[in-house]
Amino acid sequence: MKESTAGIVCESFRMSSACDFKKKFGTKVLGARVYYLEETFSTQDIAKQLASGKTPEGTIVLAGTHKKGKGRRNKSWYSPPGGIWASLVFYPGGSLSPRIMTLAGALAVAKTLEKVFCLPARIKWPNDCMVNGRKVAGVLGESDGVALIVGIGVNVNLRMAQFPEGLSDRATSILAETGSEADESFLLGEVLRRFEGYYFKMNKGEPQEVLQEITLLSSVHGKIVTMEYMGREYTGTVLDFDSEGAIILRLDSGVQMRFENGEIKCSWQ
Ligand code: BTN
């Protein structure tokens, strides 16, 4: 079947009924509409197109695999079958930044991995979820000025041997960490319920509890890190994250510096 939505032609574009999904996931908003594509270029692009056509808040676009999955900083995102590749549409009332939503998405994944699989999951600012020093999930928050599109990628049932060169020493999956296959749709529901809970709090203007949880699971909080930003490196201690998802460092000079973007380079993670 071929259908077209907002100019994107997709294969096997299927929409499932709203009630089924919210009930299945145990969510209030996420799953208002769910689109599933066996294969597409990037769920992120489709979710953006749907948002520009005013799809309801809570719309989810899921893919079995991406032909051109998108990561942060225009990197590609390896997304073969066996992962959760999902883009979520939100219309926050206030001034929620994509950065804090990204961190909240990483928190939802980390908490799920901790609670469901007893994995020592940590958040690495600005968007990574790590287990034992390797990346198990990544989150991509983007805004079109009205909608926030949050893409969540989780390596669920991927075997270590299948990661391509360049990723095999940095990535991991739930299967690799636990030794058993996980139920992707159960896992998705667990992540979505936590994530929308964080979203509701932050959208009410109450980000403190969420920030506290992010801090507790952060792999960089209190650590000395080197931040790469705009071609320069800054070394300092991580003091805090603010309600916009920016990170505050106290540099060796004693000066405090706030970064909205950047790359943390460190050997321990
Ligand atoms: C990163 O760590 O660089 C962010 C990765 C985000 C991957 C997800 S998978 C679902 C959504 N669709 C995409 O093409 N990318 C995001």
Side-chain angles (χ1 to χ4, degrees), residues 12-47:
S12 308
F13 198 99
R14 291 206 298 262
M15 192 177 91
S16 314
S17 100
C19 303
D20 289 348
F21 274 89
K22 289 205 282 187
K23 206 160 149 194
K24 181 174 156 71
F25 296 143
T27 48
K28 295 191 174 73
V29 166
L30 286 174
R33 275 192 196 166
V34 177
Y35 294 89
Y36 175 75
L37 299 107
E38 265 155 42
E39 187 178 69
T40 186
F41 282 90
S42 164
T43 54
Q44 204 68 0
D45 293 336
I46 297 186

PDB file of all heavy atoms in Angstrom, residues 12-47:
ATOM      1  N   SER A  12       3.681   1.284   3.232  1.00  0.00           N
ATOM      2  CA  SER A  12       2.989   0.687   4.381  1.00  0.00           C
ATOM      3  C   SER A  12       2.684   1.718   5.460  1.00  0.00           C
ATOM      4  O   SER A  12       3.041   1.528   6.621  1.00  0.00           O
ATOM      5  CB  SER A  12       3.848  -0.407   5.015  1.00  0.00           C
ATOM      6  OG  SER A  12       4.250  -1.311   4.068  1.00  0.00           O
ATOM      7  N   PHE A  13       2.072   2.790   5.098  1.00  0.00           N
ATOM      8  CA  PHE A  13       1.732   3.824   6.083  1.00  0.00           C
ATOM      9  C   PHE A  13       0.424   3.425   6.741  1.00  0.00           C
ATOM     10  O   PHE A  13      -0.612   3.439   6.115  1.00  0.00           O
ATOM     11  CB  PHE A  13       1.594   5.160   5.363  1.00  0.00           C
ATOM     12  CG  PHE A  13       1.677   6.328   6.283  1.00  0.00           C
ATOM     13  CD1 PHE A  13       2.855   7.033   6.410  1.00  0.00           C
ATOM     14  CD2 PHE A  13       0.581   6.720   7.026  1.00  0.00           C
ATOM     15  CE1 PHE A  13       2.944   8.124   7.258  1.00  0.00           C
ATOM     16  CE2 PHE A  13       0.668   7.802   7.880  1.00  0.00           C
ATOM     17  CZ  PHE A  13       1.852   8.496   7.994  1.00  0.00           C
ATOM     18  N   ARG A  14       0.502   3.044   7.996  1.00  0.00           N
ATOM     19  CA  ARG A  14      -0.695   2.530   8.651  1.00  0.00           C
ATOM     20  C   ARG A  14      -1.005   3.377   9.873  1.00  0.00           C
ATOM     21  O   ARG A  14      -0.129   3.699  10.649  1.00  0.00           O
ATOM     22  CB  ARG A  14      -0.448   1.091   9.128  1.00  0.00           C
ATOM     23  CG  ARG A  14      -0.308   0.095   8.017  1.00  0.00           C
ATOM     24  CD  ARG A  14      -0.715  -1.278   8.522  1.00  0.00           C
ATOM     25  NE  ARG A  14       0.137  -1.728   9.609  1.00  0.00           N
ATOM     26  CZ  ARG A  14       1.158  -2.559   9.440  1.00  0.00           C
ATOM     27  NH1 ARG A  14       1.467  -2.990   8.245  1.00  0.00           N
ATOM     28  NH2 ARG A  14       1.877  -2.959  10.470  1.00  0.00           N
ATOM     29  N   MET A  15      -2.278   3.737  10.011  1.00  0.00           N
ATOM     30  CA  MET A  15      -2.647   4.454  11.238  1.00  0.00           C
ATOM     31  C   MET A  15      -3.517   3.541  12.080  1.00  0.00           C
ATOM     32  O   MET A  15      -4.444   2.930  11.594  1.00  0.00           O
ATOM     33  CB  MET A  15      -3.394   5.733  10.921  1.00  0.00           C
ATOM     34  CG  MET A  15      -3.514   6.597  12.153  1.00  0.00           C
ATOM     35  SD  MET A  15      -4.301   8.143  11.828  1.00  0.00           S
ATOM     36  CE  MET A  15      -5.968   7.691  12.152  1.00  0.00           C
ATOM     37  N   SER A  16      -3.170   3.468  13.353  1.00  0.00           N
ATOM     38  CA  SER A  16      -3.928   2.595  14.243  1.00  0.00           C
ATOM     39  C   SER A  16      -4.847   3.432  15.117  1.00  0.00           C
ATOM     40  O   SER A  16      -4.624   4.617  15.282  1.00  0.00           O
ATOM     41  CB  SER A  16      -2.953   1.826  15.129  1.00  0.00           C
ATOM     42  OG  SER A  16      -1.915   1.329  14.336  1.00  0.00           O
ATOM     43  N   SER A  17      -5.850   2.797  15.697  1.00  0.00           N
ATOM     44  CA  SER A  17      -6.865   3.599  16.389  1.00  0.00           C
ATOM     45  C   SER A  17      -6.353   4.147  17.724  1.00  0.00           C
ATOM     46  O   SER A  17      -5.611   3.490  18.449  1.00  0.00           O
ATOM     47  CB  SER A  17      -8.126   2.777  16.598  1.00  0.00           C
ATOM     48  OG  SER A  17      -8.160   2.299  17.916  1.00  0.00           O
ATOM     49  N   ALA A  18      -6.763   5.366  18.013  1.00  0.00           N
ATOM     50  CA  ALA A  18      -6.260   6.099  19.175  1.00  0.00           C
ATOM     51  C   ALA A  18      -6.497   5.369  20.488  1.00  0.00           C
ATOM     52  O   ALA A  18      -5.589   5.194  21.280  1.00  0.00           O
ATOM     53  CB  ALA A  18      -6.922   7.463  19.229  1.00  0.00           C
ATOM     54  N   CYS A  19      -7.726   4.933  20.699  1.00  0.00           N
ATOM     55  CA  CYS A  19      -8.088   4.344  21.998  1.00  0.00           C
ATOM     56  C   CYS A  19      -7.207   3.146  22.288  1.00  0.00           C
ATOM     57  O   CYS A  19      -6.669   3.002  23.369  1.00  0.00           O
ATOM     58  CB  CYS A  19      -9.529   3.897  22.004  1.00  0.00           C
ATOM     59  SG  CYS A  19     -10.591   5.247  21.617  1.00  0.00           S
ATOM     60  N   ASP A  20      -7.052   2.296  21.302  1.00  0.00           N
ATOM     61  CA  ASP A  20      -6.241   1.096  21.504  1.00  0.00           C
ATOM     62  C   ASP A  20      -4.887   1.444  22.078  1.00  0.00           C
ATOM     63  O   ASP A  20      -4.421   0.812  23.001  1.00  0.00           O
ATOM     64  CB  ASP A  20      -5.981   0.401  20.168  1.00  0.00           C
ATOM     65  CG  ASP A  20      -7.244  -0.242  19.656  1.00  0.00           C
ATOM     66  OD1 ASP A  20      -8.195  -0.314  20.456  1.00  0.00           O
ATOM     67  OD2 ASP A  20      -7.265  -0.632  18.498  1.00  0.00           O
ATOM     68  N   PHE A  21      -4.265   2.450  21.504  1.00  0.00           N
ATOM     69  CA  PHE A  21      -2.884   2.730  21.882  1.00  0.00           C
ATOM     70  C   PHE A  21      -2.773   3.385  23.244  1.00  0.00           C
ATOM     71  O   PHE A  21      -1.925   2.998  24.037  1.00  0.00           O
ATOM     72  CB  PHE A  21      -2.171   3.542  20.800  1.00  0.00           C
ATOM     73  CG  PHE A  21      -1.611   2.628  19.771  1.00  0.00           C
ATOM     74  CD1 PHE A  21      -2.365   2.245  18.688  1.00  0.00           C
ATOM     75  CD2 PHE A  21      -0.359   2.070  19.939  1.00  0.00           C
ATOM     76  CE1 PHE A  21      -1.877   1.341  17.763  1.00  0.00           C
ATOM     77  CE2 PHE A  21       0.140   1.161  19.027  1.00  0.00           C
ATOM     78  CZ  PHE A  21      -0.622   0.798  17.929  1.00  0.00           C
ATOM     79  N   LYS A  22      -3.620   4.377  23.523  1.00  0.00           N
ATOM     80  CA  LYS A  22      -3.511   5.013  24.836  1.00  0.00           C
ATOM     81  C   LYS A  22      -3.799   3.987  25.936  1.00  0.00           C
ATOM     82  O   LYS A  22      -3.172   3.971  26.982  1.00  0.00           O
ATOM     83  CB  LYS A  22      -4.429   6.230  24.915  1.00  0.00           C
ATOM     84  CG  LYS A  22      -3.885   7.365  24.042  1.00  0.00           C
ATOM     85  CD  LYS A  22      -4.327   8.725  24.488  1.00  0.00           C
ATOM     86  CE  LYS A  22      -5.735   8.988  24.069  1.00  0.00           C
ATOM     87  NZ  LYS A  22      -6.170  10.355  24.341  1.00  0.00           N
ATOM     88  N   LYS A  23      -4.758   3.104  25.663  1.00  0.00           N
ATOM     89  CA  LYS A  23      -5.078   2.063  26.637  1.00  0.00           C
ATOM     90  C   LYS A  23      -3.906   1.094  26.776  1.00  0.00           C
ATOM     91  O   LYS A  23      -3.480   0.755  27.871  1.00  0.00           O
ATOM     92  CB  LYS A  23      -6.310   1.302  26.143  1.00  0.00           C
ATOM     93  CG  LYS A  23      -7.105   0.664  27.234  1.00  0.00           C
ATOM     94  CD  LYS A  23      -8.489   0.387  26.721  1.00  0.00           C
ATOM     95  CE  LYS A  23      -9.052  -0.848  27.391  1.00  0.00           C
ATOM     96  NZ  LYS A  23     -10.232  -1.343  26.702  1.00  0.00           N
ATOM     97  N   LYS A  24      -3.356   0.722  25.646  1.00  0.00           N
ATOM     98  CA  LYS A  24      -2.242  -0.234  25.654  1.00  0.00           C
ATOM     99  C   LYS A  24      -1.033   0.347  26.390  1.00  0.00           C
ATOM    100  O   LYS A  24      -0.403  -0.318  27.190  1.00  0.00           O
ATOM    101  CB  LYS A  24      -1.880  -0.536  24.200  1.00  0.00           C
ATOM    102  CG  LYS A  24      -0.759  -1.522  23.993  1.00  0.00           C
ATOM    103  CD  LYS A  24      -0.653  -1.799  22.490  1.00  0.00           C
ATOM    104  CE  LYS A  24       0.700  -2.273  22.063  1.00  0.00           C
ATOM    105  NZ  LYS A  24       1.064  -3.593  22.451  1.00  0.00           N
ATOM    106  N   PHE A  25      -0.745   1.631  26.115  1.00  0.00           N
ATOM    107  CA  PHE A  25       0.436   2.245  26.714  1.00  0.00           C
ATOM    108  C   PHE A  25       0.169   2.750  28.135  1.00  0.00           C
ATOM    109  O   PHE A  25       1.094   3.047  28.875  1.00  0.00           O
ATOM    110  CB  PHE A  25       0.916   3.442  25.867  1.00  0.00           C
ATOM    111  CG  PHE A  25       1.374   3.071  24.480  1.00  0.00           C
ATOM    112  CD1 PHE A  25       1.119   3.916  23.408  1.00  0.00           C
ATOM    113  CD2 PHE A  25       2.084   1.907  24.245  1.00  0.00           C
ATOM    114  CE1 PHE A  25       1.562   3.599  22.121  1.00  0.00           C
ATOM    115  CE2 PHE A  25       2.519   1.578  22.968  1.00  0.00           C
ATOM    116  CZ  PHE A  25       2.252   2.430  21.907  1.00  0.00           C
ATOM    117  N   GLY A  26      -1.088   2.912  28.482  1.00  0.00           N
ATOM    118  CA  GLY A  26      -1.412   3.489  29.789  1.00  0.00           C
ATOM    119  C   GLY A  26      -1.110   4.981  29.826  1.00  0.00           C
ATOM    120  O   GLY A  26      -0.758   5.531  30.870  1.00  0.00           O
ATOM    121  N   THR A  27      -1.254   5.639  28.673  1.00  0.00           N
ATOM    122  CA  THR A  27      -0.938   7.072  28.584  1.00  0.00           C
ATOM    123  C   THR A  27      -2.215   7.910  28.480  1.00  0.00           C
ATOM    124  O   THR A  27      -3.280   7.393  28.150  1.00  0.00           O
ATOM    125  CB  THR A  27      -0.087   7.338  27.324  1.00  0.00           C
ATOM    126  OG1 THR A  27      -0.704   6.685  26.214  1.00  0.00           O
ATOM    127  CG2 THR A  27       1.323   6.827  27.492  1.00  0.00           C
ATOM    128  N   LYS A  28      -2.057   9.217  28.744  1.00  0.00           N
ATOM    129  CA  LYS A  28      -3.202  10.120  28.622  1.00  0.00           C
ATOM    130  C   LYS A  28      -3.193  10.817  27.263  1.00  0.00           C
ATOM    131  O   LYS A  28      -4.221  11.078  26.667  1.00  0.00           O
ATOM    132  CB  LYS A  28      -3.156  11.172  29.727  1.00  0.00           C
ATOM    133  CG  LYS A  28      -3.318  10.584  31.112  1.00  0.00           C
ATOM    134  CD  LYS A  28      -3.530  11.696  32.144  1.00  0.00           C
ATOM    135  CE  LYS A  28      -3.841  11.136  33.508  1.00  0.00           C
ATOM    136  NZ  LYS A  28      -2.668  10.540  34.169  1.00  0.00           N
ATOM    137  N   VAL A  29      -1.988  11.184  26.805  1.00  0.00           N
ATOM    138  CA  VAL A  29      -1.877  11.964  25.566  1.00  0.00           C
ATOM    139  C   VAL A  29      -1.105  11.195  24.492  1.00  0.00           C
ATOM    140  O   VAL A  29      -1.531  11.145  23.334  1.00  0.00           O
ATOM    141  CB  VAL A  29      -1.171  13.318  25.869  1.00  0.00           C
ATOM    142  CG1 VAL A  29      -0.745  13.995  24.585  1.00  0.00           C
ATOM    143  CG2 VAL A  29      -2.089  14.230  26.657  1.00  0.00           C
ATOM    144  N   LEU A  30       0.015  10.636  24.889  1.00  0.00           N
ATOM    145  CA  LEU A  30       0.860   9.975  23.876  1.00  0.00           C
ATOM    146  C   LEU A  30       0.162   8.741  23.323  1.00  0.00           C
ATOM    147  O   LEU A  30      -0.293   7.876  24.078  1.00  0.00           O
ATOM    148  CB  LEU A  30       2.221   9.599  24.463  1.00  0.00           C
ATOM    149  CG  LEU A  30       3.172  10.780  24.668  1.00  0.00           C
ATOM    150  CD1 LEU A  30       4.439  10.352  25.394  1.00  0.00           C
ATOM    151  CD2 LEU A  30       3.518  11.447  23.336  1.00  0.00           C
ATOM    152  N   GLY A  31       0.032   8.733  22.000  1.00  0.00           N
ATOM    153  CA  GLY A  31      -0.704   7.647  21.356  1.00  0.00           C
ATOM    154  C   GLY A  31      -2.059   8.128  20.874  1.00  0.00           C
ATOM    155  O   GLY A  31      -2.904   7.334  20.483  1.00  0.00           O
ATOM    156  N   ALA A  32      -2.273   9.473  20.917  1.00  0.00           N
ATOM    157  CA  ALA A  32      -3.521  10.037  20.406  1.00  0.00           C
ATOM    158  C   ALA A  32      -3.735   9.574  18.968  1.00  0.00           C
ATOM    159  O   ALA A  32      -4.862   9.301  18.535  1.00  0.00           O
ATOM    160  CB  ALA A  32      -3.463  11.558  20.466  1.00  0.00           C
ATOM    161  N   ARG A  33      -2.653   9.537  18.237  1.00  0.00           N
ATOM    162  CA  ARG A  33      -2.629   8.881  16.925  1.00  0.00           C
ATOM    163  C   ARG A  33      -1.307   8.157  16.815  1.00  0.00           C
ATOM    164  O   ARG A  33      -0.292   8.693  17.265  1.00  0.00           O
ATOM    165  CB  ARG A  33      -2.682   9.911  15.795  1.00  0.00           C
ATOM    166  CG  ARG A  33      -4.068  10.310  15.463  1.00  0.00           C
ATOM    167  CD  ARG A  33      -4.109  11.095  14.180  1.00  0.00           C
ATOM    168  NE  ARG A  33      -5.385  11.759  14.113  1.00  0.00           N
ATOM    169  CZ  ARG A  33      -5.675  12.735  13.274  1.00  0.00           C
ATOM    170  NH1 ARG A  33      -4.742  13.177  12.430  1.00  0.00           N
ATOM    171  NH2 ARG A  33      -6.865  13.281  13.271  1.00  0.00           N
ATOM    172  N   VAL A  34      -1.330   6.995  16.222  1.00  0.00           N
ATOM    173  CA  VAL A  34      -0.086   6.248  16.045  1.00  0.00           C
ATOM    174  C   VAL A  34       0.042   5.821  14.590  1.00  0.00           C
ATOM    175  O   VAL A  34      -0.874   5.207  14.041  1.00  0.00           O
ATOM    176  CB  VAL A  34      -0.037   5.002  16.959  1.00  0.00           C
ATOM    177  CG1 VAL A  34       1.234   4.192  16.710  1.00  0.00           C
ATOM    178  CG2 VAL A  34      -0.098   5.411  18.428  1.00  0.00           C
ATOM    179  N   TYR A  35       1.141   6.207  13.990  1.00  0.00           N
ATOM    180  CA  TYR A  35       1.426   5.788  12.618  1.00  0.00           C
ATOM    181  C   TYR A  35       2.597   4.822  12.671  1.00  0.00           C
ATOM    182  O   TYR A  35       3.574   5.079  13.371  1.00  0.00           O
ATOM    183  CB  TYR A  35       1.846   6.979  11.758  1.00  0.00           C
ATOM    184  CG  TYR A  35       0.756   8.008  11.549  1.00  0.00           C
ATOM    185  CD1 TYR A  35       0.583   9.060  12.441  1.00  0.00           C
ATOM    186  CD2 TYR A  35      -0.085   7.920  10.448  1.00  0.00           C
ATOM    187  CE1 TYR A  35      -0.413  10.005  12.246  1.00  0.00           C
ATOM    188  CE2 TYR A  35      -1.086   8.863  10.252  1.00  0.00           C
ATOM    189  CZ  TYR A  35      -1.242   9.900  11.153  1.00  0.00           C
ATOM    190  OH  TYR A  35      -2.218  10.834  10.953  1.00  0.00           O
ATOM    191  N   TYR A  36       2.472   3.749  11.944  1.00  0.00           N
ATOM    192  CA  TYR A  36       3.573   2.781  11.904  1.00  0.00           C
ATOM    193  C   TYR A  36       4.023   2.565  10.460  1.00  0.00           C
ATOM    194  O   TYR A  36       3.197   2.323   9.579  1.00  0.00           O
ATOM    195  CB  TYR A  36       3.145   1.436  12.508  1.00  0.00           C
ATOM    196  CG  TYR A  36       4.227   0.411  12.356  1.00  0.00           C
ATOM    197  CD1 TYR A  36       5.361   0.457  13.172  1.00  0.00           C
ATOM    198  CD2 TYR A  36       4.163  -0.568  11.364  1.00  0.00           C
ATOM    199  CE1 TYR A  36       6.396  -0.456  12.999  1.00  0.00           C
ATOM    200  CE2 TYR A  36       5.201  -1.482  11.192  1.00  0.00           C
ATOM    201  CZ  TYR A  36       6.308  -1.411  12.014  1.00  0.00           C
ATOM    202  OH  TYR A  36       7.333  -2.308  11.840  1.00  0.00           O
ATOM    203  N   LEU A  37       5.311   2.663  10.252  1.00  0.00           N
ATOM    204  CA  LEU A  37       5.880   2.399   8.930  1.00  0.00           C
ATOM    205  C   LEU A  37       6.925   1.313   9.061  1.00  0.00           C
ATOM    206  O   LEU A  37       7.808   1.420   9.910  1.00  0.00           O
ATOM    207  CB  LEU A  37       6.556   3.663   8.391  1.00  0.00           C
ATOM    208  CG  LEU A  37       5.626   4.842   8.227  1.00  0.00           C
ATOM    209  CD1 LEU A  37       5.880   5.878   9.291  1.00  0.00           C
ATOM    210  CD2 LEU A  37       5.814   5.426   6.862  1.00  0.00           C
ATOM    211  N   GLU A  38       6.799   0.300   8.218  1.00  0.00           N
ATOM    212  CA  GLU A  38       7.827  -0.751   8.297  1.00  0.00           C
ATOM    213  C   GLU A  38       9.198  -0.168   7.999  1.00  0.00           C
ATOM    214  O   GLU A  38      10.171  -0.480   8.643  1.00  0.00           O
ATOM    215  CB  GLU A  38       7.501  -1.865   7.309  1.00  0.00           C
ATOM    216  CG  GLU A  38       6.743  -2.978   7.995  1.00  0.00           C
ATOM    217  CD  GLU A  38       5.891  -3.766   7.035  1.00  0.00           C
ATOM    218  OE1 GLU A  38       6.376  -4.060   5.927  1.00  0.00           O
ATOM    219  OE2 GLU A  38       4.750  -4.043   7.425  1.00  0.00           O
ATOM    220  N   GLU A  39       9.244   0.676   6.984  1.00  0.00           N
ATOM    221  CA  GLU A  39      10.521   1.296   6.610  1.00  0.00           C
ATOM    222  C   GLU A  39      10.263   2.712   6.115  1.00  0.00           C
ATOM    223  O   GLU A  39       9.336   2.938   5.351  1.00  0.00           O
ATOM    224  CB  GLU A  39      11.171   0.475   5.492  1.00  0.00           C
ATOM    225  CG  GLU A  39      12.558   0.949   5.157  1.00  0.00           C
ATOM    226  CD  GLU A  39      13.208   0.109   4.081  1.00  0.00           C
ATOM    227  OE1 GLU A  39      12.746   0.190   2.921  1.00  0.00           O
ATOM    228  OE2 GLU A  39      14.167  -0.600   4.391  1.00  0.00           O
ATOM    229  N   THR A  40      11.058   3.643   6.581  1.00  0.00           N
ATOM    230  CA  THR A  40      10.923   5.011   6.094  1.00  0.00           C
ATOM    231  C   THR A  40      12.278   5.697   6.192  1.00  0.00           C
ATOM    232  O   THR A  40      13.218   5.160   6.763  1.00  0.00           O
ATOM    233  CB  THR A  40       9.855   5.780   6.888  1.00  0.00           C
ATOM    234  OG1 THR A  40       9.674   7.062   6.281  1.00  0.00           O
ATOM    235  CG2 THR A  40      10.266   5.999   8.340  1.00  0.00           C
ATOM    236  N   PHE A  41      12.358   6.915   5.639  1.00  0.00           N
ATOM    237  CA  PHE A  41      13.639   7.630   5.725  1.00  0.00           C
ATOM    238  C   PHE A  41      13.900   8.014   7.169  1.00  0.00           C
ATOM    239  O   PHE A  41      14.889   7.620   7.754  1.00  0.00           O
ATOM    240  CB  PHE A  41      13.631   8.849   4.794  1.00  0.00           C
ATOM    241  CG  PHE A  41      13.855   8.435   3.378  1.00  0.00           C
ATOM    242  CD1 PHE A  41      12.792   8.110   2.553  1.00  0.00           C
ATOM    243  CD2 PHE A  41      15.139   8.303   2.881  1.00  0.00           C
ATOM    244  CE1 PHE A  41      13.010   7.673   1.265  1.00  0.00           C
ATOM    245  CE2 PHE A  41      15.370   7.856   1.586  1.00  0.00           C
ATOM    246  CZ  PHE A  41      14.298   7.551   0.769  1.00  0.00           C
ATOM    247  N   SER A  42      12.996   8.791   7.760  1.00  0.00           N
ATOM    248  CA  SER A  42      13.153   9.176   9.162  1.00  0.00           C
ATOM    249  C   SER A  42      11.780   9.506   9.748  1.00  0.00           C
ATOM    250  O   SER A  42      11.049  10.327   9.185  1.00  0.00           O
ATOM    251  CB  SER A  42      14.071  10.400   9.263  1.00  0.00           C
ATOM    252  OG  SER A  42      13.934  10.988  10.535  1.00  0.00           O
ATOM    253  N   THR A  43      11.459   8.899  10.865  1.00  0.00           N
ATOM    254  CA  THR A  43      10.177   9.198  11.529  1.00  0.00           C
ATOM    255  C   THR A  43      10.111  10.669  11.927  1.00  0.00           C
ATOM    256  O   THR A  43       9.033  11.256  12.016  1.00  0.00           O
ATOM    257  CB  THR A  43      10.008   8.349  12.805  1.00  0.00           C
ATOM    258  OG1 THR A  43      11.163   8.547  13.637  1.00  0.00           O
ATOM    259  CG2 THR A  43       9.848   6.887  12.473  1.00  0.00           C
ATOM    260  N   GLN A  44      11.289  11.258  12.145  1.00  0.00           N
ATOM    261  CA  GLN A  44      11.350  12.639  12.585  1.00  0.00           C
ATOM    262  C   GLN A  44      10.738  13.559  11.520  1.00  0.00           C
ATOM    263  O   GLN A  44       9.959  14.450  11.831  1.00  0.00           O
ATOM    264  CB  GLN A  44      12.830  12.983  12.839  1.00  0.00           C
ATOM    265  CG  GLN A  44      13.084  14.097  13.798  1.00  0.00           C
ATOM    266  CD  GLN A  44      12.730  13.812  15.240  1.00  0.00           C
ATOM    267  OE1 GLN A  44      12.255  12.740  15.606  1.00  0.00           O
ATOM    268  NE2 GLN A  44      12.915  14.793  16.083  1.00  0.00           N
ATOM    269  N   ASP A  45      11.085  13.304  10.268  1.00  0.00           N
ATOM    270  CA  ASP A  45      10.578  14.142   9.176  1.00  0.00           C
ATOM    271  C   ASP A  45       9.067  13.983   9.023  1.00  0.00           C
ATOM    272  O   ASP A  45       8.344  14.950   8.795  1.00  0.00           O
ATOM    273  CB  ASP A  45      11.273  13.773   7.856  1.00  0.00           C
ATOM    274  CG  ASP A  45      12.745  14.131   7.900  1.00  0.00           C
ATOM    275  OD1 ASP A  45      13.103  15.028   8.697  1.00  0.00           O
ATOM    276  OD2 ASP A  45      13.540  13.523   7.167  1.00  0.00           O
ATOM    277  N   ILE A  46       8.602  12.754   9.170  1.00  0.00           N
ATOM    278  CA  ILE A  46       7.164  12.524   9.024  1.00  0.00           C
ATOM    279  C   ILE A  46       6.404  13.202  10.153  1.00  0.00           C
ATOM    280  O   ILE A  46       5.381  13.852   9.942  1.00  0.00           O
ATOM    281  CB  ILE A  46       6.865  11.014   8.989  1.00  0.00           C
ATOM    282  CG1 ILE A  46       7.555  10.445   7.760  1.00  0.00           C
ATOM    283  CG2 ILE A  46       5.365  10.755   8.968  1.00  0.00           C
ATOM    284  CD1 ILE A  46       7.281   9.042   7.478  1.00  0.00           C
ATOM    285  N   ALA A  47       6.936  13.083  11.372  1.00  0.00           N
ATOM    286  CA  ALA A  47       6.264  13.715  12.518  1.00  0.00           C
ATOM    287  C   ALA A  47       6.207  15.238  12.324  1.00  0.00           C
ATOM    288  O   ALA A  47       5.205  15.879  12.638  1.00  0.00           O
ATOM    289  CB  ALA A  47       6.986  13.358  13.811  1.00  0.00           C
TER     290      ALA A  47
END
